[in-house]
Amino acid sequence: MVKILTDANFEAETKNGVALVDFWATWCGPCRMQSPIIDELDEEIGDKVTFAKMDVDANPQTPSQFGIMGIPTLLIKKDGVVVEKLVGYHAKEMLEETLGKYI
């Protein structure tokens, strides 16, 4: 199941293994297109990757800390370190290929 992150739990939930965090907002059209892809990937490879979402309107501190200026933005972290920052909508195949480098 895709985790819902907040400013308070972001570091704790993304410090171990590989994590993909989807920074989004309810008013963002491309975010609504990206969300089902994140859900599909979670069902398929959620045992290898932690999938999480963070609403940027409700949690402004973390997006600011990582310089997130546009959404959707996907951060991929490995063992607590950001290894990829993907801005905009990304197709499932591209995300599978990118995540494959880290799992």
Side-chain angles (χ1 to χ4, degrees):
M1 184 172 175
V2 176
K3 295 182 181 202
I4 304 301
L5 298 183
T6 65
D7 286 335
N9 72 358
F10 178 82
E11 287 301 324
E13 294 289 341
T14 63
K15 69 180 179 181
N16 297 318
V18 178
L20 181 146
V21 182
D22 177 14
F23 291 86
W24 68 283
T26 56
W27 48 264
C28 169
C31 298
R32 289 193 300 270
M33 293 170 44
Q34 190 72 73
S35 186
I37 293 171
I38 303 300
D39 294 340
E40 280 181 46
L41 288 170
D42 181 55
E43 286 183 25
E44 294 171 11
I45 59 171
D47 58 329
K48 299 175 187 165
V49 178
T50 299
F51 289 93
K53 298 179 183 183
M54 178 177 274
D55 182 339
V56 298
D57 290 335
N59 301 282
Q61 182 180 343
T62 302
S64 176
Q65 175 185 348
F66 288 97
I68 294 171
M69 305 292 280
I71 54 175
T73 292
L74 306 175
L75 283 187
I76 300 173
K77 293 179 76 178
K78 182 164 185 171
D79 297 327
V81 177
V82 175
V83 292
E84 298 269 350
K85 182 177 181 180
L86 309 169
V87 180
Y89 170 84
H90 289 83
K92 181 180 175 185
E93 295 77 19
M94 185 273 188
L95 293 176
E96 288 172 323
E97 183 178 318
T98 303
L99 287 167
K101 296 187 285 186
Y102 303 107
I103 56 177

